[in-house]
Every structure is written in structure tokens, then in C-alpha cells.
Amino acid sequence: MEPLYTPQGVEERWQRTWEDEGLYRAGAGKRREETFVDAHPPPNVTGELHTGHALQLAIGDAVVRMKRMQGYDVLFQPGFDHAGISTQNAVEKQLATEGSSRQELGRQAFEARVWEWLRQYGGTIMTQFRRIGASLDYSRERMTLDPEYTRSVMRFFVHLYRKGWIYRANRIINWCPYHQTSLSDLELVHEDVDDALSTIRYPLADGSGYIAVATVRPATIPADVAVAVHPNDARYAHLVGKEAIVPFVERRVPIIADERVEPGFGTGALKITPGHDPKDFDIGRDHGLPEPMAIAPDGRMNELAPELAGLTQKEAEERILGWCKERGLLEQREHYRHSVALCERCHNRIEPLISLQWWCAMDDLKQPALAALRERRVRYHPESQHRFAIESLENAPDWCISRQIWWGHQLPLWECPEGHITCDEEAPAACADCGSTALTRSTDVLDTWFSSALWPLATLGWPEDTPSLRRYYPGNLQTTGREIIRLWENRMIFSGLELLGEIPFEDVVIHSTVLARDGRRMSKSLGTGIDPRELIDAQGADAMRYGLLKMSSTQDVRFSDSMVDEGRKLANKLWNVSRLLLSGRGEAQPASLPGSVEELWILARLEQTRSEIEATFDRDRVRQVASILLDNAVKYTPEGGNVAVRVEEEDGRAALEVSDNGIGMAEDQMPLVFERFHRADPSRTESGAGLGLSIARQIAESHGGEIRVRSRIGEGSTFTLFLPRRG
Ligand SMILES: [Zn+2]
Ligand SMILES: [Zn+2]
């Protein structure tokens, strides 16, 4: 073995070997019947490895490796999300460079083109997962749009539809004018922008004066249907019940009172535009107001005010404000900074629009999940995220599940000329109501998260009653970022409970968000991203895993190069320890008791570490295990030279144990460096067996009966605990 550990080349070789030997397969090497399942979050099929993925894998992989060593039947499930909007976007960009578009291709040809594109560019992220050393069962790789998975999604939809929980309604939704689709609240990002707040006078219809309103969106004035004030606002009490005239379109609208109006904002009077504002929409529905719209789905002005049709909102705003100014109705225009919603993918401003969409009612669906969370049958870690998960589920509004894109699961809904809807998993021959055979399928597709909500059970073959489903559902662990608690984790919980009556997993570990070195958000466009692939190339995957685990906490953390470097140094230290151990083990002679105060001290430390880990690896603090393991591996692994001396001393027994434990405890986090020295050990006879076992066996052979094997932490590497504790 070389004196200096160089991960390059070595790591890739072990990753390949392990996979080829089937060591990652579900159930490989199990010595007990209990299962341990981590259905890993499926990355976007168009995605590339980022630090969030790397940290997620470092945590999940450390835990599943530990469970494997403890003898569990482990399933670490990999796969991809078809990522509706992202994937469609990528292919549309490519089409644009060829001067074509999806509309030009048509739906079928476009879908074929996406599959073709995916064959060429998609799925590379799984190679990057391998490069980290993630021990996923790659033989079970799935995608949320593969044919079997699609069948699960259709079954789920039809199930909800038949329960009456899926319905169509005209409501205000978030519309992306670029992507030309509805989006859920959770697919938006919010950003502060500089805007102008205009105060505009609406003349009273009886000619007795005016009521002034403040607005940041004068372009929506043509769609105003009322002016609202707070019922307790003395300034306006005498005006409630009168009528005002909307500028530019000169339409009479009522002045109404509503408690949702904030008297402190602007003038305290609010123009009500149900077609373009969610709050106005609610107020409008409660007061029975009409819902005209002034803005078209492309973001430009529609025909509502014919002289504005086709203009951009900016142009319309100038026209309307000019009109007001000429008539002395523009009271003031001031700078105003406020938060606006943007599409998280294209960063265009979201248009709230009223649109006919499909919704999933949440009231009944979420109750069993809420109970599971309140009773802590499913636990989020840390506790603050558990509370957040409960709150966000309590407040979850009905879910807008339809999207106006082409790449995804087309809704299993067929409409006849009479407007009857037939819902079925397969194309029906005739309308269920009138028997008409002239059926048209809905062109909408489902929200991507509708399909990923089934990840823990669809990957196991549901709705078929498969052996995998019976064996590996419910699972145990999820490791993920907090931004998808509402989008994904909560939805898996309610879907699993609804379809199988059981929670899909027990623990959800929410990891840190790793920030750039300067504390800014990591972002490709800002140039603040840190590419894990570069770290792996430079320092090795073990070092990166170690570094990420060490820097992670329950808070957001800044990326630290020194932690990764520490990982590299530790890998090298371990390499040297193992080298010396291997060269010295032939001479090791066990003694019945620790031979010195130092040995006792080290053994006491080990025992302490072990009990700390055991106490920590309970359902409350699963995530802390990683950091304790690492801290102790660093603290208690003796310097290579010391171990060698001890091993070669007459009383080598304690030293052997110390070394092997210190190493073993870090093995889950840094698997790659270990394998090399396991394999370098000629006495290693079985897959997954560690150096410790080999040494223990040798000693057992020459000193029969003196070895006590304990398999508390993980038999693969720390089971050679053959010294009795004192007392
Ligand atoms: Zn967009
Ligand atoms: Zn019909």
C-alpha cells in the first residue's frame, strides 16, 4: 500500500466494484429480517449535481451504510423526476436555436423529441451520484414518467376523482406568461422590486367629490369592479353604498365595506380587481361582484378596453395615467419598493389570472397526515421544521393540479360534446353519461409534484401487490431540504396514508442549506455556486462527504474549504493507520485486560463514544449521529505512529481495538478510503467484512475463546470488541 493516500482513481474503482458485486442491491448481505428504507429524493432528470444533493446523499448514505452493517435489509431507492416545466423548457430552448417550436412540431412529435433529448442529455446526475459513492440500489432506478409509474399516477388520480376530491373551478391562479401555464404558490419566488405607487381619484357618481385609491398596477384599472374601505374607517363611512366611476373606462362601481381592507395602506380605500389579485378575488366572490379581466394570458392587454388591446402593461399604464392626469385625477405618484412573485424557473413576473383549472380538495385528504404528524408517527427533524410541516399542512389550500404544458402526465379526463367528463385510467370507449363516442382528452398535464407524491410506493410497484411493496413499505427515512417540505414531503405522507393506510416513512431529516463562502445564496447565475464535482476531483469524494457533514447543522451554513481539507487529511491519516495495522497485525498478541492507564483511558473514551452514538441514533436526533461519529473519529483515532507501536508491542490487544473502532466509526461517512484497506487484507473472506473481523478471526484462531464479538454499532467494522470492560 502506498504511503500517501490518493483518492483519484481509487474511489471510482471501488464504486464500480461495489455495484458490480451487487452490494448496493436491496437486501444485500442482510443478517436480520428488519428492513430499512430511504426513498431518496429523485433529482430532476435534467439536473446536475449541486452541494444540496451532495449533502443529502452524504447524510442518507451514511445512515444506510450503518444500517447495512447492522445487518438490516436496506433499500436505498434512486430515480429521477421527469420535471415537467424544466425539461420542457430545456427542449424548447433547443428547438428555438433550430428556429422551430413545440407548436410547430405538435404534441406527439414534441414528446418524442423530449424522450430523444433525454436519451442524449438526461440522467447524467445518476453518474454523479455514483461518483459520490452513494450506495443506492441502481438496479431499481425509476423515473416518475416511466410506464409503470404512470399507471400509479393514473390510479391515484382516478381514486381521488371518484371520491369527489378532484374538481374543476374558475379561480384566481398564478399564471406564468412565459411558460403559459398555471403554477402553484410553491413554485414562485418572491423578490423586492422598485415600483411606483399611484394615487388616483375615482369620482363619485353623484358628483359630490371623489374617493382616492392607491395602486401599483394602474393597467388593471379597466377590470375594477368596486372600491372597498374598512367598515370601521370613519373617513369613508359616509361613502359606503354610494357609487364611484372607474377612470378611463368610466364605469360605475359600488363602494363597499370589507374587513380585509387595510386602513393604513395608501389612502385606506382599495380598488377591487377580482380578475388580477387573489385578495380582491376573495372579496369579490363574497360580495357577488363580476370578474372581468384586462390582461390576456400572454401578459398583454386584452379587449376589455378596446383602445388598449395588444398593448404591453407598461404602455397601457402610461395611457391610463395620462388620461387621469389630463382630468386632474392623478393625485400623486411615488416610489414604492415591494415584494413581487416571480416564476421560479424563468423569473418572469407572475400574473394572477382567473382561469378554469383542476383542483384537488385538501380538507379530508390532509386529515390523516395531520394526525400522523401531531401524534409524531412521522417526525421532522429538527423540531422547528416539524412545527412548520404541521402548520403548512393545516393551512394547505386546495391544490391546483393542472398545468398547461405538454411534458408530463396528461389528465385522464375525457369530455364529450355535451360537456360531460369521463374519468378513467385508460381511454374510455364512450361518455359515461350519454354514451357519446366523440371524446376529447384534456390537454392539461398534472403538476409534477402530483406524481412525485407517490414516490415511496410507486417505486415499489403500487398499485400491484408486489413482493417489494409488501417488504419495503412503509419505509423509514427521508433526507431533504426545507424548501420541499410542503411541495413533496407532506404530500407523500397524505398520499401514502390515503392509498395504503400507512405512513410512508418515520423520519424526515431536514438538512442545512449550504451557502456560498461569502454567505450568499449559491446560484449559477450569480456565479456563487460551488461545484461538488470539482471538489471530488481535487480532494476526493470521501473528503467532500466528510466536509459537508461536518459543516452541516440545523442552520444555514457557509461552505468551508477547511472542513473538506480536514476530510482529506483524515482520509490520509486513516490510510496510514490501516497500513501500519496491516503490516503489524501478525505480531499482535491479545492480553486479558488493558495493560496501561492510557489504554484504559482510550477504551473508556470508546465506550463513551459508542453509548453516545447509540443514545443519539434514536428517532429524535438521527441527524446528529453523523457529526458525533465524525467528531469522535477525529478525536479518538490515534495517530498512525502510535497505533503501529502498540500493535507491535507485546500487549497489542487494546491498540487494535482502538484503531479499528476509530476507523470503523468513520467508515459510514468515508466509505471509499476504507474499502481499499479492507481489500488489501488477504484474510478478508466475505463481502462487506471489515479489517476488524479479519484480525479478530486470526486472533481467535490462535487464542480460542478469548474474543467477544459485539455487534452494536456495525458489524462490518466495529464488531471486534474483544476486550472486556473493566468492572
Ligand atoms: Zn415561467
Ligand atoms: Zn356525454
Side-chain angles (χ1 to χ4, degrees):
M1 288 167 83
E2 303 77 20
L4 186 69
Y5 177 57
T6 46
Q8 291 79 11
V10 175
E11 290 185 340
E12 289 97 316
R13 200 160 66 242
W14 289 126
Q15 285 147 2
R16 263 198 314 276
T17 309
W18 287 333
E19 202 181 328
D20 292 348
E21 290 181 356
L23 300 181
Y24 294 167
R25 296 265 181 128
K30 73 178 164 92
R31 297 186 307 282
R32 51 209 275 185
E33 279 312 301
E34 297 107 299
T35 54
F36 188 84
V37 180
D38 179 351
H40 194 70
N44 285 352
V45 65
T46 50
E48 286 190 348
L49 190 70
H50 57 58
T51 44
H53 295 130
L55 175 58
Q56 214 157 73
L57 281 168
I59 297 171
D61 195 54
V63 177
V64 299
R65 281 177 186 268
M66 179 145 111
K67 286 290 172 183
R68 257 188 224 113
M69 288 200 287
Q70 288 174 327
Y72 283 81
D73 176 348
V74 169
L75 168 58
F76 196 16
Q77 174 70 47
F80 301 102
D81 192 288
H82 67 279
I85 293 179
S86 306
T87 308
Q88 172 155 333
N89 221 8
V91 179
E92 286 196 272
K93 265 187 200 156
Q94 198 189 40
L95 285 174
T97 65
E98 299 164 12
S100 181
S101 69
R102 73 179 156 114
Q103 288 80 4
E104 200 177 301
L105 282 183
R107 188 162 187 146
Q108 264 193 333
F110 178 74
E111 281 177 10
R113 178 67 185 257
V114 178
W115 283 113
E116 181 53 41
W117 187 90
L118 283 178
R119 265 189 290 280
Q120 229 178 323
Y121 304 104
T124 54
I125 197 169
M126 216 45 77
T127 311
Q128 296 159 353
F129 277 16
R130 286 177 166 93
R131 201 48 201 87
I132 286 186
S135 61
L136 293 150
D137 183 351
Y138 297 97
S139 69
R140 288 175 176 250
E141 187 182 294
R142 296 295 300 277
M143 173 155 85
T144 52
L145 202 58
D146 67 39
E148 293 79 26
Y149 203 107
T150 299
R151 210 154 48 93
S152 310
V153 174
M154 294 298 115
R155 177 69 58 92
F156 184 37
F157 186 96
V158 172
H159 171 90
L160 294 172
Y161 189 90
R162 293 195 175 148
K163 282 194 117 167
W165 292 349
I166 287 180
Y167 61 94
R168 186 158 54 167
N170 236 330
R171 291 220 184 118
I172 195 141
I173 49 125
N174 307 301
W175 182 264
C176 172
Y178 173 77
H179 283 112
Q180 289 282 303
T181 181
S182 61
L183 295 171
S184 76
D185 290 345
L186 308 176
E187 292 165 299
L188 315 181
V189 289
H190 296 270
E191 213 165 80
D192 283 341
V193 297
D194 290 304
D195 235 328
L197 186 67
S198 305
T199 306
I200 298 168
R201 294 173 175 173
Y202 285 38
L204 298 172
D206 62 10
S208 65
Y210 62 85
I211 182 165
V213 304
T215 178
V216 286
R217 300 196 64 192
T220 65
I221 284 176
D224 286 351
V225 296
V227 173
V229 297
H230 193 276
N232 301 338
D233 195 332
R235 294 172 293 178
Y236 299 117
H238 65 290
L239 296 180
V240 174
K242 289 192 171 192
E243 283 185 321
I245 296 170
V246 178
F248 197 77
V249 289
E250 303 193 282
R251 189 171 60 237
R252 284 169 170 241
V253 296
I255 299 172
I256 60 173
D258 193 286
E259 292 193 333
R260 285 163 283 193
V261 178
E262 294 165 45
F265 175 78
T267 61
L270 185 69
K271 76 186 199 59
I272 300 298
T273 324
H276 298 297
D277 182 276
K279 181 166 153 185
D280 294 5
F281 178 82
D282 290 341
I283 293 175
R285 285 256 158 135
D286 292 347
H287 291 266
L289 297 169
E291 296 168 350
M293 286 189 284
I295 296 162
D298 64 0
R300 288 176 174 260
M301 303 304 291
N302 67 13
E303 307 281 333
L304 185 70
E307 59 272 50
L308 300 177
L311 298 186
T312 65
Q313 292 181 43
K314 188 86 202 135
E315 291 162 350
E317 182 176 313
E318 278 163 22
R319 293 273 282 274
I320 292 168
L321 289 178
W323 189 97
C324 292
K325 205 168 176 183
E326 274 170 29
R327 288 157 182 82
L329 298 178
L330 181 60
E331 198 166 288
Q332 69 170 357
R333 198 159 154 76
E334 58 193 320
H335 171 252
Y336 183 60
R337 192 168 168 79
H338 67 135
S339 168
V340 297
L342 309 175
C343 168
E344 69 172 349
R345 292 187 181 85
C346 68
H347 280 247
N348 278 293
R349 243 202 237 201
I350 289 299
E351 284 301 334
L353 292 181
I354 296 174
S355 169
L356 191 59
Q357 299 285 343
W358 290 93
W359 303 79
C360 177
M362 290 303 304
D363 284 348
D364 295 323
L365 186 54
K366 71 185 177 187
Q367 294 311 328
L370 274 172
L373 287 169
R374 289 186 187 125
E375 292 157 16
R376 311 184 89 68
R377 284 180 282 133
V378 180
R379 301 184 194 199
Y380 282 84
H381 313 266
E383 180 59 26
S384 57
Q385 301 298 346
H386 191 77
R387 288 194 301 272
F388 171 76
I390 292 180
E391 273 164 34
S392 49
L393 196 54
E394 281 170 344
N395 301 324
D398 284 1
W399 179 10
C400 178
I401 53 173
S402 47
R403 297 289 180 273
Q404 289 66 51
I405 57 174
W406 287 355
W407 178 242
H409 300 280
Q410 208 173 337
L411 268 56
L413 295 170
W414 285 263
E415 193 167 351
C416 78
E418 300 295 314
H420 305 132
I421 302 281
T422 304
C423 174
D424 212 337
E425 288 177 46
E426 306 284 339
C431 170
D433 289 302
C434 69
S436 163
T437 53
L439 297 176
T440 326
R441 186 169 187 173
S442 165
T443 54
D444 287 356
V445 301
L446 285 162
D447 178 6
T448 293
W449 298 101
F450 188 91
S451 48
S452 49
L454 300 177
W455 189 244
L457 46 112
T459 50
L460 297 174
W462 183 87
E464 299 309 315
D465 180 24
T466 63
S468 280
L469 185 65
R470 264 177 271 143
R471 179 138 192 89
Y472 297 114
Y473 192 94
N476 306 81
L477 179 69
Q478 288 275 304
T479 57
T480 194
R482 64 171 177 269
E483 65 279 5
I484 56 174
I485 290 175
R486 294 182 296 172
L487 284 168
W488 192 47
E489 297 291 343
N490 276 350
R491 286 171 177 169
M492 285 190 286
I493 301 171
F494 67 62
S495 308
L497 280 163
E498 173 62 24
L499 295 171
L500 289 169
E502 283 186 280
I503 52 168
F505 38 74
E506 298 163 321
D507 293 289
V508 186
V509 174
I510 302 299
H511 58 68
S512 295
T513 300
V514 183
L515 304 172
R517 296 176 178 94
D518 60 4
R520 281 191 294 167
R521 181 171 62 88
M522 278 201 203
S523 143
K524 242 188 201 170
S525 51
L526 294 175
T528 50
I530 292 167
D531 188 342
R533 290 167 298 176
E534 286 170 20
L535 293 175
I536 294 171
D537 288 343
Q539 308 272 55
D542 275 336
M544 183 193 65
R545 290 167 62 133
Y546 174 95
L548 285 172
L549 284 170
K550 183 118 194 233
M551 64 186 95
S552 105
S553 74
T554 55
Q555 310 290 320
D556 288 356
V557 290
R558 287 183 188 203
F559 185 84
S560 155
D561 292 288
S562 66
M563 304 251 179
V564 178
D565 201 46
E566 190 180 302
R568 186 186 54 78
K569 286 181 184 149
L570 177 62
N572 195 51
K573 189 188 329 186
L574 293 168
W575 179 256
N576 280 314
V577 169
S578 62
R579 223 161 46 91
L580 291 160
L581 266 176
L582 284 169
S583 61
R585 73 166 188 277
E587 288 80 48
Q589 296 295 319
S592 56
L593 286 169
S596 68
V597 176
E598 291 82 359
E599 283 174 7
L600 268 177
W601 183 85
I602 292 172
L603 287 170
R605 276 282 165 290
L606 269 170
E607 200 52 40
Q608 189 189 332
T609 303
R610 194 158 36 239
S611 36
E612 214 177 314
I613 289 167
E614 285 174 6
T616 305
F617 195 61
D618 61 20
R619 288 154 51 112
D620 275 341
R621 291 182 294 168
V622 64
R623 65 167 297 121
Q624 292 176 16
V625 173
S627 63
I628 291 174
L629 282 167
L630 290 167
D631 282 353
N632 287 304
V634 177
K635 272 189 258 170
Y636 304 132
T637 304
E639 290 300 324
N642 295 341
V643 174
V645 170
R646 286 189 176 285
V647 172
E648 288 175 30
E649 275 171 2
E650 198 179 309
D651 180 14
R653 181 168 165 186
L656 266 179
E657 171 165 2
V658 171
S659 311
D660 199 36
N661 272 283
I663 294 165
M665 284 175 197
E667 179 161 347
D668 306 319
Q669 283 74 47
M670 308 177 72
L672 300 163
V673 63
F674 285 100
E675 188 65 5
R676 181 67 193 278
F677 89 76
H678 288 338
R679 304 261 175 165
D681 172 9
S683 67
R684 185 178 180 280
T685 51
E686 58 191 74
S687 221
L691 172 70
L693 180 58
S694 312
I695 296 171
R697 278 187 181 146
Q698 284 198 357
I699 296 169
E701 278 162 25
S702 45
H703 303 81
E706 285 202 21
I707 295 173
R708 283 190 204 168
V709 175
R710 289 177 28 170
S711 58
R712 303 300 298 274
I713 304 300
E715 288 190 62
S717 59
T718 57
F719 51 99
T720 58
L721 308 178
F722 43 88
L723 273 183
R725 262 186 298 170
R726 187 156 206 164

